[in-house]
């Protein structure tokens, strides 16, 4: 009885808190409520393992729900999406790179203070509330061992064929908003994690595209511009780069990307593989967590099979998104990352786009044969907050400053590559997560442009709006050669 009352109070309180914070009406169907309450009870049991104090464990689940609700609300407001299981995998990035997550370092008083206060309160409660262990040393030890083993057994049961079938029956396909309304954030996160774990590593659809009549270009440069979109769409001044795009690019337009304001890896993966996120099932929420870069039809693997040197350029830390390992798996021979830009000028907290463009052109000039360079810029990464740029505190004005630098960097690439037989593709990975431009505001699509140099053409630039996976498939024409495709069937490309 000493365990039942605290558990009932915790389950009822958690349900009320989450229901009040959910924008959609929560489901009260018995089966849905049972799954939601079951997720609360599971987390309560997890906390109970560490203390064997019922009220402490049950209040811990209430605190867990409060924290989850607050973070979920913040994420919805900034990115327009509820918490998902892949966010748990990104938690380890927060202490390493707090500036990217709208938070402060763990040592900052605003972070350390509440954490220390919480630990102190838990420690005090631990000394006050008696443990609910059975009497006697033997029964107590048996209980201490049995509960964690029971939780582990439950985890293993979820990975058995019947367990996976039961979870799949409730969660057949990703439907994040509906599932959160039915089962709650915690249950949905746990179930989606289990579903992603259960998904078979099915090979991508590998139907070869029709080949271009000649070999690929000697130089292929693809630049993923951080948070880039035409600033005129946000009320900014016209960007000279956009005028050059409309007059000189072979093709340009609006680009439909998977998310707003974050999750660069979703756009990056689609561009490098030509695969829609939906084709990844539950792994689509974080393609790098799902596949780790093991994509046999990635652009880099295709280029390497065709005799290209493959280079990945990103002026940030190797561990972020596990990019170093993922990019190697995707087929990049050489990585140019944070340590290679140690002396490069910063614009705000990050390496400037001008320095990145210079490094790309240096790689092209020093090439010994055909080369593919894929670059992910960093200068325009959020958050945009006071103190980022001298004399510019307004987030939108900061964004305009950075996006102007991005435009000049692209123009430098156009000028530097125009004498080569080259393809240059630039695109925005997602819209910026600015306070004045939230999910649902305006057109969420970014912009892209595709330049072709060194080949005679009488065609005028044309606007073609695309999905990003379709752009990824289009890029394959730039590196694909008849020799490579005929000799290596593994480089077959999925259709968009």
């Amino acid at each position: 009885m000493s365990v039942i009352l605290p558990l009932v109070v915790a389950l009822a309180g958690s349900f009320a808190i989450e229901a009040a914070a959910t924008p959609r009406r929560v489901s009260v169907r018995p089966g849905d409520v049972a799954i939601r309450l079951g997720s609360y009870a599971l987390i309560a049991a997890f906390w109970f393992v560490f203390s064997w104090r019922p009220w402490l464990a049950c209040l811990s689940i209430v605190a867990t729900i409060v924290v989850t609700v607050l973070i979920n609300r913040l994420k919805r407001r900034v990115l327009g999406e509820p918490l998902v299981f892949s966010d748990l995998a990104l938690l380890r990035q927060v202490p390493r790179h707090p500036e990217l997550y709208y938070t402060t370092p763990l040592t900052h008083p605003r972070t350390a203070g509440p954490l220390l206060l919480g630990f102190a309160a838990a420690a005090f409660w631990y000394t006050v509330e008696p443990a609910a262990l059975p009497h006697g040393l033997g029964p107590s030890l048996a209980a201490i061992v049995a509960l964690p083993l029971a939780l582990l057994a439950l985890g293993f049961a979820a990975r058995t064929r019947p367990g996976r079938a039961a979870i799949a029956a409730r969660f057949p396909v990703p439907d994040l908003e509906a599932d959160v309304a039915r089962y709650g954030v915690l249950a949905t996160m746990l179930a989606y994690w289990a579903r992603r774990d259960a998904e078979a590593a099915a090979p991508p659809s590998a139907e070869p595209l029709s080949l271009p009549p000649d070999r690929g270009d000697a130089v292929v440069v693809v630049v993923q511009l951080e948070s880039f979109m035409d600033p005129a769409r946000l009320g900014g001044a016209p960007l000279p780069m956009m005028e050059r795009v409309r007059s000189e690019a072979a093709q340009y337009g609006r680009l439909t990307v998977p998310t707003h304001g974050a999750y660069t890896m979703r756009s990056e993966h689609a561009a490098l593989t030509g695969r829609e996120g939906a084709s990844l099932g539950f792994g689509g929420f974080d393609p790098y967590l799902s596949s780790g870069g093991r994509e046999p039809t990635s652009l880099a693997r295709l280029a390497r099979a065709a005799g290209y040197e493959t280079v990945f350029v990103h002026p940030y830390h190797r561990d972020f998104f596990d990019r170093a390992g993922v990019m190697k798996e995707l087929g990049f021979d050489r990585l140019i990352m944070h340590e290679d830009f140690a002396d490069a000028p910063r614009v705000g907290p990050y390496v400037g786009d001008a320095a990145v463009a210079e490094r790309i052109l240096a790689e092209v000039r020093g090439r010994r044969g055909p080369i593919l360079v894929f670059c992910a810029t960093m200068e325009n990464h959020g958050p945009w907050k006071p103190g980022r740029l001298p004399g510019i505190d307004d987030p939108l004005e900061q964004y305009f400053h950075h996006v102007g630098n991005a435009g000049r960097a692209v123009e430098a690439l156009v000028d530097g590559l125009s004498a080569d037989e080259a393809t240059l593709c630039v695109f925005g990975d997602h819209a910026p997560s600015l306070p004045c431009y939230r999910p649902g505001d305006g057109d969420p699509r970014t912009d892209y442009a595709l330049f072709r140099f060194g080949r005679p053409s009488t065609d005028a630039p044309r606007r073609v709006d695309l999905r990003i996976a379709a752009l990824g498939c289009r890029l394959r024409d730039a590196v694909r050669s008849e020799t490579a495709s005929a000799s290596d069937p593994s480089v077959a490309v999925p259709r968009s």
Side-chain angles (χ1 to χ4, degrees), residues 2-11 13-14 40-41 43-45 47-48 51 53-65 125 129:
S2 61
V3 176
I4 294 177
L5 179 60
L7 183 60
V8 170
V9 172
L11 296 183
S14 298
Y40 301 158
I43 302 302
W47 289 121
F48 193 56
S51 69
R53 283 149 176 83
W55 283 106
L56 178 58
C58 290
L59 288 177
S60 295
I61 180 57
V62 174
T64 301
I65 291 297
W125 197 300
E129 183 183 2

Side-chain angles (χ1 to χ4, degrees), residues 97-396:
H97 312 286
E99 70 279 4
L100 299 185
Y101 290 97
Y102 297 84
T103 186
T104 55
L106 290 176
T107 54
H108 192 281
R110 274 173 37 192
T111 302
L115 287 176
L116 291 174
L117 186 62
F119 283 128
F124 173 76
W125 197 300
Y126 187 91
T127 62
V128 172
E129 183 183 2
L133 284 167
H135 295 293
L137 180 61
S140 294
L141 290 176
I144 290 172
V145 172
L147 182 55
L149 287 179
L151 291 176
L152 287 173
L154 189 61
F156 281 117
R159 304 185 71 176
T160 63
R161 182 174 296 180
R164 288 175 170 173
I167 296 173
R170 283 280 182 176
F171 301 88
V173 294
D175 191 354
L176 192 55
E177 291 288 354
D179 288 336
V180 166
R182 290 182 67 185
Y183 309 113
V185 174
L186 279 180
T188 301
M189 291 175 74
L190 293 171
Y192 277 33
W193 197 324
R195 290 288 285 125
R196 195 274 302 179
D197 184 61
E199 285 174 335
S205 174
E207 182 183 352
L209 293 175
S210 58
L211 299 177
D214 50 9
R215 62 181 176 81
D217 290 334
V219 175
V220 180
V221 175
V222 183
V223 182
Q224 178 176 270
L225 296 168
E226 175 62 44
S227 300
F228 179 84
M229 62 191 307
D230 184 352
R233 295 165 55 192
L234 299 177
L239 202 62
M241 165 208 158
M242 296 305 298
E243 291 301 318
R244 293 192 68 174
V245 165
R246 287 186 277 269
S247 62
E248 300 177 28
Q251 183 176 312
Y252 67 93
R254 300 281 172 87
L255 192 65
T256 300
V257 293
T259 54
H260 178 107
Y263 293 115
T264 295
M265 79 289 277
R266 298 182 189 175
S267 297
E268 194 169 271
H269 183 271
L272 285 168
T273 64
R275 296 184 66 184
E276 293 282 359
S279 72
L280 302 172
F282 289 85
F285 292 105
D286 187 341
Y288 292 166
L289 179 66
S290 175
S291 67
R294 294 177 294 276
E295 296 279 1
T297 61
S298 76
L299 179 66
R301 285 185 180 276
L302 187 70
R304 193 164 67 182
Y308 285 70
E309 179 186 8
T310 54
V311 182
F312 176 70
V313 179
H314 180 52
Y316 203 61
H317 300 282
R318 288 174 170 266
D319 67 326
F320 196 61
F321 292 159
D322 293 325
R323 266 202 177 101
V326 169
M327 290 302 158
K328 284 288 188 181
E329 284 287 348
L330 281 167
F332 287 96
D333 298 314
R334 195 153 49 87
L335 310 182
I336 299 172
M337 304 194 77
H338 188 262
E339 62 275 11
D340 298 294
F341 289 91
D343 299 323
R346 265 62 176 168
V347 182
Y350 310 115
V351 173
D353 287 348
V356 176
E358 288 179 10
R359 183 57 188 259
I360 292 172
L361 292 175
E363 291 296 319
V364 171
R365 295 188 200 105
R367 66 187 177 88
R368 299 179 179 178
I371 188 171
L372 164 71
V373 180
F374 186 96
C375 171
T377 68
M378 199 65 192
E379 178 185 334
N380 206 17
H381 201 293
W384 299 270
K385 56 186 179 181
R388 176 179 176 128
L389 292 173
I392 308 176
D393 284 344
D394 178 69
L396 185 58

Side-chain angles (χ1 to χ4, degrees), residues 210-218 306 308 421-423 452-456 474 476-485:
S210 58
L211 299 177
D214 50 9
R215 62 181 176 81
D217 290 334
Y308 285 70
E421 187 182 275
T423 289
R452 301 294 300 274
F453 304 114
R455 295 171 182 269
R474 177 69 180 86
R476 280 140 176 76
D477 287 349
V479 301
R480 198 169 174 80
S481 70
E482 293 186 78
T483 302
S485 63

